[in-house]
Amino acid sequence: MTGTVPGGTLTLADDLILTRMGYGAMQLAGPYVFGPPKDRDEAVAVLREAVERGITHIDTSDFYGPAVVNEIIREALHPYPAGLHIATKVGSRRGDDASFIPAREPVDLVAQVHDNLKHLGVDTLDVVYLRMGANEGQPIEEPLSDKFGALAELQKEGLIRHLGLSAVTDAQLTEAQTIAPVVSVQNLYNLANRQDDALVARCAAHNIAFTPFFPLGGFSPLQSQTLTDVATRLDAAPQQVALAWLLQRSATIALIPGTSSRTHLRENIAAADLTLPTDAITELDTISN
């Protein structure tokens, strides 16, 4: 790893230090996050360059592929360098048609944790998110105590270091915190989707990472003339401006933009060095739905 630190670092629970500019590995699978990548060598190269450029936070899941992405991560980076933290998610499985099938019963979650351990080649997972909500990423208000409790038991057994939540509501965060500490919340959030503004603020107040998934819009990339105009004035790519806005939105936001291209990886990392002036932020704030 280099001495550079993209976007600075975020320290959680005293012993978890993440670069605020991380890397999301979802796009390393094939189309629809299913099957092998078109170019496995490039996928391996992207991961290695991410780490070489100082990123210490990689986000994945065994339902990416399924298993394909975790196996590529293991091929590219194992034995893992000191200081690198891999976060994963449980709560879904994949159908033969590439569909995402909720699988959140405690027995399912335990099995998924063991799948992640096996395919990543580790004895302990750094961070495990319980993924609630619909496939589109929208939270669904339902109890999670038995589910989160199953993961908390695995944490006590030493199979998980830290716990997180994905696609959850404010009330579900409160419920989970009665069971075990939550170090990160991973919800849908970007320039155009800001329903979680209050949750972002809550996480910042309590030093909980807020890790937006689809920071650039996901399967429907952000498209805004306002974003394009601001990017043109700043001589930056619109995607870089969108990522820089997130980094400046809250001190505990941790980014995990994904790509299967080293060129795009470099562009994403460069966004960490982009400081948006106040007038640009005010203009970008008008984009929200």
Side-chain angles (χ1 to χ4, degrees), residues 12-288:
L12 307 167
D14 297 326
D15 64 344
L16 180 64
I17 302 175
L18 306 177
T19 46
R20 294 188 65 210
M21 178 61 76
Y23 173 73
M26 184 177 75
Q27 293 187 33
L28 297 184
Y32 305 104
V33 201
F34 196 74
K38 180 179 179 181
D39 188 340
R40 190 181 182 97
D41 289 343
E42 179 68 7
V44 168
V46 166
L47 285 161
R48 289 176 177 167
E49 181 158 336
V51 172
E52 288 167 0
R53 288 179 175 266
I55 285 176
T56 67
H57 178 198
I58 293 177
D59 182 85
T60 186
S61 176
D62 212 58
F63 55 73
Y64 294 165
V68 169
V69 169
N70 279 352
E71 290 172 347
I72 293 174
I73 290 172
R74 182 175 183 173
E75 176 186 339
L77 302 176
H78 194 277
Y80 302 110
L84 177 66
H85 299 291
I86 299 175
T88 191
K89 291 169 288 298
V90 295
S92 290
R93 290 203 179 273
R94 304 301 296 276
D96 292 338
D97 59 353
S99 61
F100 288 84
I101 302 169
R104 293 192 285 264
E105 292 303 313
V107 65
D108 294 322
L109 298 173
V110 171
Q112 291 169 55
V113 165
H114 283 279
D115 287 342
N116 277 277
L117 289 165
K118 175 184 176 182
H119 294 134
L120 287 169
V122 295
D123 296 323
T124 305
L125 297 168
D126 288 325
V127 181
V128 174
Y129 290 94
L130 171 61
R131 188 183 190 278
M132 301 291 291
N135 287 341
E136 298 77 18
Q138 298 300 328
I140 298 173
E141 194 69 80
E142 64 178 70
L144 53 67
S145 294
D146 60 333
K147 304 167 181 62
F148 196 70
L151 298 181
E153 287 301 315
L154 296 181
Q155 184 182 37
K156 291 176 183 177
E157 293 174 20
L159 298 182
I160 300 172
R161 290 192 178 91
H162 301 285
L163 297 172
L165 296 170
S166 178
V168 292
T169 64
D170 184 84
Q172 286 170 327
L173 172 59
T174 298
E175 181 184 358
Q177 287 179 309
T178 67
I179 299 168
V182 175
V183 298
S184 183
V185 170
Q186 187 176 127
N187 274 17
L188 173 63
Y189 189 79
N190 55 49
L191 263 174
N193 295 275
R194 297 183 55 183
Q195 296 91 335
D196 272 346
D197 273 341
L199 189 54
V200 170
R202 176 182 176 181
C203 288
H206 297 280
N207 197 44
I208 297 170
F210 189 96
T211 307
F213 64 76
F214 295 161
L216 297 174
F219 299 115
S220 300
L222 295 174
Q223 295 184 16
S224 164
Q225 188 59 49
T226 299
L227 175 59
T228 299
D229 291 344
V230 170
T232 299
R233 290 204 312 269
L234 297 177
D235 192 25
Q239 294 85 351
Q240 291 175 316
V241 171
L243 293 175
W245 179 87
L246 284 166
L247 285 173
Q248 290 180 232
R249 171 68 183 83
S250 165
T252 65
I253 278 184
L255 296 185
I256 50 168
T259 179
S260 58
S261 157
R262 280 174 287 180
T263 298
H264 290 158
L265 173 70
R266 294 161 195 158
E267 292 173 355
N268 290 342
I269 292 174
D273 296 324
L274 179 61
T275 300
L276 302 178
T278 302
D279 62 333
I281 293 175
T282 300
E283 194 171 346
L284 292 168
D285 283 348
T286 67
I287 295 174
S288 176

